[in-house]
Amino acid sequence: MRAAVIGASSESIYAITKAKELGLEVVALDGNPEAPGLKAADASFVVDIRNPQKVKEILDSNKPDVILPVPIGRYLTTTGVINDYYGLCGVSEHSSNICTDKYEFHRILAEQGLRKVELYLIPAGQDDTDVDELNQVFPVVVKPRFGSGSRGVEIYNTKEQLKEGFLNAAPYDEDYIVETMVEGVEYGLDGVFEDGDFKLILLRGKRNTPPPYRECVGYYSVIETDKNKDFFDKVKKLMQGVGEAFGFTNNIVHADIIKDKDGNPFLIETSARPSGHNLHNLFTPMASGVDEVTEFIKMAVPELKKSHSFEPSVHKHMMIRYFDFEDVRVNKVPDEKELMKKYPIKAWQCNLKSGMYLGKVTNGASIMGRGYYVLEASSFFELDGYADAIKSEFELEDNK
């Protein structure tokens, strides 16, 4: 039996490892000959994964039983094409196209009454958009039409800011969308669709930097209780409706949502693939007991004759925190062994070194390479207290 991975970034290595543990041979494909996942696979091919036909030509001689679900952006669409071509379990071409196109994503959900905001498309090459034509309620969010993550996302509070900060710099070489900003508490979630039914694996509370960047610097596991059951039920109902609108059948899903002022979930975006940033491969399994990649492989390849379950087996108060120090020079990094003795640290990966300068946290790329740690405690309050204490263990010099 064989698995293929389309997009062999470092975040593919976890899925490759899990597939091998289940006895599958793994074939990896990526356009970058230095992609880390190519070395981790049993066989590897350098190919432009933006071109499904070229991918088919390679896989016809290495026919897969499953395409491994891995964090990937716009070219999730190739995975969808290949799944359809071989009749495999996983995201379809139709669904993947919607996930990676924020305009279509909004249009379809708005038609179903599942997304109630104003959204406008600014096509690539257009330079004559009048700000008064955008009948928006401010503030607004501007972001590229295609892809995923926080790349190019900006917030504008007034028409004047939108004109000066965005419209005056047009035309752009890619499509953008402008949509009404929904304010509230942000969450992420990990889930799965099995035979069309949505199953929530983990709801994650976000810790974000202040505007304008609002970059996530940490996640908390959120445990369902009598107090928050209503919100959990609304999230599950929303995601079920989204799955039906998009045609999700048997696939992993992650999403970003906002709890608005009325306590209702608003969907920012969703995609039929695992979450990145050491969530699907580390934090979610630790906090929920569910290794979604392993369970998906077992579901997708019945010939393995292994039962699968996406039902959480543990419910732990945990936090994954990234090193969000800003505009400082690191003078001293604390000793890992000493920290492990003092604090309830369940995982630690610190890439910071003495003498390193750390700038402002503006997007994922500016923080994720620094490392992370995972804590377990009895409450959000306790987790935050430990995080503050751990920060104080670093000797930092203000460089503002």
Side-chain angles (χ1 to χ4, degrees):
M1 290 174 285
R2 182 179 293 117
V5 60
I6 300 172
S9 73
S10 60
E11 292 198 294
S12 74
I13 294 175
Y14 184 77
I16 292 171
T17 301
K18 292 301 175 180
K20 285 184 172 183
E21 289 176 359
L22 290 169
L24 278 71
E25 177 186 87
V26 180
V27 176
L29 302 90
D30 199 288
N32 176 10
E34 302 301 319
L38 296 180
K39 295 179 181 179
D42 296 296
S44 60
F45 298 88
V46 178
V47 60
D48 186 354
I49 62 170
R50 298 171 297 180
N51 188 327
Q53 185 56 43
K54 290 186 180 296
V55 172
K56 288 178 186 177
E57 291 171 2
I58 290 173
L59 293 182
D60 279 343
S61 301
N62 300 270
K63 186 176 178 181
D65 297 282
V66 61
I67 305 299
L68 298 180
V70 297
I72 191 171
R74 182 172 182 178
Y75 298 106
L76 176 70
T77 52
T78 300
T79 294
V81 171
I82 299 302
N83 279 334
D84 289 352
Y85 179 65
Y86 292 113
L88 302 178
C89 181
V91 63
S92 68
E93 179 182 7
H94 171 74
S95 297
S96 64
N97 278 327
I98 299 170
C99 290
T100 56
D101 183 339
K102 297 182 182 70
Y103 180 76
E104 282 299 297
F105 161 86
H106 170 80
R107 184 187 65 79
I108 291 170
L109 292 184
E111 286 179 355
Q112 299 294 321
L114 296 172
R115 205 165 190 269
K116 300 177 181 179
V117 293
E118 293 287 334
L119 182 144
Y120 297 89
L121 175 66
I122 309 295
Q126 180 170 302
D127 63 355
D128 58 350
T129 303
D130 187 336
V131 70
D132 291 324
E133 294 175 6
L134 306 180
N135 186 26
Q136 289 276 3
V137 177
F138 284 79
V140 297
V141 181
V142 175
K143 47 192 171 183
R145 175 178 178 178
F146 296 102
S148 62
S150 56
R151 178 185 69 87
V153 177
E154 299 286 350
I155 296 171
Y156 298 99
N157 293 304
T158 65
K159 285 186 177 182
E160 291 71 25
Q161 287 182 7
L162 177 63
K163 184 176 181 180
E164 293 174 10
F166 178 70
L167 294 178
N168 283 353
Y172 292 93
D173 59 3
E174 62 178 316
D175 292 356
Y176 275 83
I177 59 170
V178 181
E179 72 175 24
T180 310
M181 178 180 171
V182 175
E183 301 194 61
V185 180
E186 286 195 37
Y187 295 84
L189 67 79
D190 301 295
V192 66
F193 283 86
E194 186 174 4
D195 295 327
D197 292 329
F198 174 71
K199 299 178 180 181
L200 178 64
I201 296 171
L202 183 67
L203 185 67
R204 300 180 262 103
K206 288 189 178 186
R207 179 163 180 158
N208 290 343
T209 61
Y213 299 111
R214 300 171 66 96
E215 178 59 30
C216 183
V217 297
Y219 291 92
Y220 308 86
S221 58
V222 183
I223 298 172
E224 184 173 356
T225 64
D226 290 340
K227 188 175 181 180
N228 62 20
K229 185 180 185 303
D230 179 62
F231 182 63
F232 268 76
D233 288 344
K234 289 177 178 179
V235 168
K236 294 171 188 175
K237 182 179 180 181
L238 172 63
M239 291 305 298
Q240 184 64 48
V242 170
E244 292 169 4
F246 290 179
F248 290 157
T249 305
N250 289 294
N251 55 266
I252 287 173
V253 68
H254 82 97
D256 292 315
I257 61 176
I258 290 174
K259 184 178 183 180
D260 69 17
K261 59 182 177 61
D262 297 317
N264 296 315
F266 170 80
L267 185 63
I268 302 171
E269 64 178 6
T270 189
S271 190
R273 50 90 165 171
S275 51
H277 298 174
N278 290 296
L279 295 170
H280 83 281
N281 59 314
L282 177 69
F283 184 67
T284 296
M286 292 179 76
S288 70
V290 177
D291 182 338
E292 60 192 70
V293 170
T294 297
E295 298 308 310
F296 175 83
I297 296 170
K298 292 190 289 188
M299 176 179 74
V301 188
E303 293 81 4
L304 289 171
K305 298 182 179 179
K306 294 182 179 293
S307 61
H308 68 275
S309 173
F310 296 100
E311 187 69 29
S313 58
V314 298
H315 304 277
K316 296 180 178 180
H317 285 289
M318 303 190 83
M319 167 200 279
I320 183 169
R321 187 68 185 270
Y322 312 109
F323 296 106
D324 58 327
F325 316 146
E326 291 189 307
D327 295 319
V328 297
R329 187 173 301 279
V330 179
N331 289 334
K332 184 180 179 181
V333 177
D335 180 73
E336 177 182 347
K337 291 181 180 179
E338 291 301 314
L339 290 177
M340 299 292 277
K341 293 176 184 177
K342 293 177 66 174
Y343 305 104
I345 297 172
K346 302 303 178 183
W348 178 270
Q349 177 65 56
C350 181
N351 301 322
L352 303 181
K353 306 293 182 184
S354 296
M356 186 178 288
Y357 171 75
L358 303 177
K360 187 168 288 294
V361 175
T362 59
N363 52 37
S366 65
I367 190 173
M368 290 304 158
R370 300 178 181 182
Y372 59 85
Y373 58 93
V374 177
L375 293 168
E376 181 180 357
S378 60
S379 66
F380 289 164
F381 179 79
E382 193 172 15
L383 287 167
D384 280 341
Y386 284 129
D388 290 341
I390 289 171
K391 181 177 181 179
S392 72
E393 299 278 356
F394 288 79
E395 290 187 13
L396 305 171
E397 180 183 343
D398 195 338
N399 271 261
K400 290 182 179 179

